């Protein structure tokens, strides 16, 4: 897998990203970024990008938009 997105930015690791990094993702603002971090704290590391569907405010369309931008390592 490549290390960068088509936009020229780095792929964001959901298990290491800060809220500022998450906030930069398409369709993710400060509130959703905070919920991603809270989900990670409550449930442990993400096992797959699909786990984002468990975060309030992230649906299938947002997940599809994020798929090329995020990775789980």
């Amino acid at each position: 897998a490549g290390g960068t997105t088509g936009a020229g930015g780095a792929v964001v690791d959901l298990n290491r990203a800060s809220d500022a990094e998450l906030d930069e993702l398409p369709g993710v603002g400060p509130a959703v970024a905070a919920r991603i971090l809270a989900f990670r704290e409550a449930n442990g590391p993400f096992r797959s990008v699909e786990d984002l569907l468990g975060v309030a405010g992230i649906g299938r369309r947002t997940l599809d938009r994020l798929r090329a931008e995020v990775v789980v390592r």
Side-chain angles (χ1 to χ4, degrees):
T4 59
T5 67
V11 173
V12 174
D13 181 348
L14 290 174
N15 289 324
R16 298 195 172 153
S18 67
D19 69 342
E21 290 170 304
L22 293 168
D23 188 16
E24 296 290 315
L25 294 168
V28 176
V32 174
R35 287 197 295 264
I36 291 170
L37 292 179
F39 183 91
R40 190 171 74 195
E41 276 186 33
N43 299 287
F46 286 92
R47 289 183 292 287
S48 74
V49 174
E50 292 283 319
D51 287 350
L52 281 172
L53 290 173
V55 177
I58 296 183
R60 183 65 57 188
R61 280 193 5 218
T62 302
L63 178 66
D64 289 344
R65 228 180 300 147
L66 291 173
R67 211 176 281 283
E69 310 281 336
V70 298
V71 67
V72 172
R73 292 194 178 106

